[in-house]
Amino acid sequence: MEASKKTGREPLLRTVKRAELSQKKTMILRAASVLLALLAGGIFLLIIGFNPFTVYQTIISGAFRSEMAVQATIRIMIPLLISSLGVTMAFKMRFWNIGAEGQIIMGAIFATYFALYQNAMPHVLLLIVMFLFSVIGGGLFGLIPAFFKAKFNTNETLFTLMLNYIALNVIVYLRDGPWKDPDSSGFPKIARFDINAQLDSVLGVQAGWIIALVLTAIVYIYLKYTKQGYEISVVGDSHATAKYAGIPVKRVMLRTMFFSGAICGIAGMVQATGSDMTLATSVAGGVGFTAIIVAWLARLNPAGIVIVSFLFSILEKGSSVMQSTYGLSSYSADVLQGIILFFVLGCEFFVRYKFVGRKGGAGK
């Protein structure tokens, strides 16, 4: 780049923002990216000695081959969908919340206190209290980087990322210290929740799927039809424009990040009480980072997030079945998932940008 400036010549190849593509062209480009992903993944499978057609068939059938498999796929989807909705709130405002993992964990921690030490309450009341405190825990943890961003203009990407490790080590401290299960033997752990503190099942799956769908509707309405949702969009487009329009940018930032963290906190409560039945360091399990990909692929649209998170869950569940069926290592399954994601995410780049070569005679 510096050399091109000194010589006065354009770079040989550069990226420029596209004019907005039509919906038809966008769909064609995305369909092409999926086909290329399957082709590249198939080449990888051939190299390691497997028939790609049978492996792909196993991935799809593995997610739906039985009632239990479908239920497992839905269980994977629940925290992913909820946390994707959470980061969408922040991303709409162009606040890069990379701390969903930590917010999930803090929501789970706040809910776990009541599951362990206040579980004599009536069942429904206990679940409501745990839900409310998961909102508080995740929301407050989301509020911390927003406060420092508003007050000192700190880098929210690094700030939220570092908070993930703090939250994870809070669990380690509680597991090894004050919340250690006295009946554990061999290694420290937190006790399994009493049945009174466990989320009920509906149609064979923990009731978190109902919470997830209700949250989807709420977030969609909030972002699209409310004044506060409009303020988020304006702040995301331009702080200067928002201030000119009389929108309190700092207040919007604090409020939105509380809501973003709160929704992620709900994902932690749902995972701990509905699937894990305890609090463990794996309660977030990378979901907070995957949620970022899901939110962007869905273009921050709550309805699209439902579809994309479902497809991700199929890939995750199907890959585990593929791994056990063919004796593949977890690394091979991860490589295959990575290849598919690489092409699908790369498609989003080409939807927005294109490569332009140097014009003939430039710099002469």
Side-chain angles (χ1 to χ4, degrees):
M1 192 69 182
E2 289 297 323
S4 64
K5 285 180 180 178
K6 289 176 182 177
T7 60
R9 300 182 66 186
E10 292 181 356
L12 183 63
L13 202 63
R14 59 195 174 91
T15 57
V16 295
K17 195 169 180 63
R18 283 183 185 273
E20 190 169 348
L21 290 176
S22 66
Q23 188 172 3
K24 182 180 178 181
K25 287 184 177 179
T26 301
M27 292 300 294
I28 291 172
L29 195 57
R30 286 178 175 156
S33 74
V34 172
L35 291 175
L36 285 171
L38 295 175
L39 178 61
I43 293 171
F44 167 72
L45 290 170
L46 282 172
I47 290 172
I48 61 175
F50 292 93
N51 184 328
F53 295 103
T54 57
V55 171
Y56 285 145
Q57 184 181 3
T58 302
I59 290 175
I60 300 299
S61 63
F64 301 104
R65 62 182 177 177
S66 66
E67 186 178 341
M68 287 185 63
V70 173
Q71 291 170 356
T73 302
I74 299 300
R75 277 196 293 272
I76 293 170
M77 177 184 173
I78 292 168
L80 180 58
L81 171 56
I82 297 175
S83 51
S84 298
L85 293 170
V87 298
T88 293
M89 295 283 288
F91 288 176
K92 274 280 188 181
M93 188 178 58
R94 296 294 188 269
F95 189 104
W96 310 120
N97 179 16
I98 314 299
E101 287 273 307
Q103 292 147 23
I104 291 169
I105 289 171
M106 293 308 295
I109 289 173
F110 273 56
T112 295
Y113 169 78
F114 292 91
L116 294 177
Y117 300 109
Q118 305 294 332
N119 55 26
M121 296 184 198
H123 177 61
V124 174
L125 177 61
L126 177 59
L127 290 179
I128 291 172
V129 170
M130 291 168 67
F131 179 90
L132 292 175
F133 273 85
S134 71
V135 167
I136 293 170
L140 291 177
F141 214 60
L143 201 56
I144 295 171
F147 171 79
F148 280 91
K149 175 72 173 180
K151 189 75 173 177
F152 305 108
N153 196 32
T154 54
N155 184 306
E156 72 271 18
T157 304
L158 293 175
F159 206 120
T160 52
L161 180 63
M162 293 301 104
L163 284 175
N164 291 332
Y165 300 101
I166 293 174
L168 183 63
N169 282 286
V170 170
I171 291 186
V172 174
Y173 165 73
L174 294 171
R175 182 198 66 193
D176 296 349
W179 290 3
K180 181 179 178 180
D181 182 5
D183 297 327
S184 65
S185 57
F187 62 93
K189 65 181 181 66
I190 293 171
R192 184 178 174 84
F193 294 168
D194 184 84
I195 193 169
N196 193 45
Q198 295 177 16
L199 205 57
D200 299 295
S201 294
V202 179
L203 301 178
V205 185
Q206 54 127 318
W209 67 268
I210 298 176
I211 296 172
L213 293 178
V214 171
L215 282 173
T216 301
I218 291 173
V219 171
Y220 178 80
I221 293 168
Y222 180 80
L223 291 175
K224 192 170 180 63
Y225 296 108
T226 68
K227 178 187 174 184
Q228 292 184 0
Y230 172 73
E231 289 176 343
I232 290 171
S233 296
V234 176
V235 170
D237 288 338
S238 168
H239 283 199
T241 302
K243 289 176 181 176
Y244 182 78
I247 296 173
V249 173
K250 291 182 179 180
R251 188 190 307 168
V252 171
M253 188 184 299
L254 293 169
R255 181 181 66 212
T256 305
M257 268 306 292
F258 179 85
F259 289 156
S260 177
I263 294 172
C264 292
I266 293 170
M269 176 264 181
V270 165
Q271 183 66 18
T273 62
S275 295
D276 297 343
M277 312 306 181
T278 187
L279 178 67
T281 53
S282 59
V283 66
V287 165
F289 295 116
T290 308
I292 297 169
I293 301 173
V294 170
W296 276 115
L297 285 177
R299 306 193 74 175
L300 306 182
N301 183 315
I305 287 171
V306 176
I307 297 170
V308 176
S309 59
F310 181 59
L311 294 175
F312 263 72
S313 302
I314 292 172
L315 181 60
E316 182 69 26
K317 172 60 180 171
S319 294
S320 66
V321 173
M322 173 197 73
Q323 187 179 326
S324 59
T325 302
Y326 297 102
L328 284 169
S329 73
S330 59
Y331 299 112
S332 298
D334 289 343
V335 168
L336 181 60
Q337 289 185 49
I339 290 171
I340 294 171
L341 287 178
F342 175 82
F343 279 91
V344 173
L345 288 171
C347 163
E348 295 305 307
F349 173 84
F350 288 105
V351 167
R352 294 174 175 82
Y353 300 93
K354 62 181 178 180
F355 287 115
V356 175
R358 182 189 298 163
K359 294 178 182 177
K364 290 184 180 178

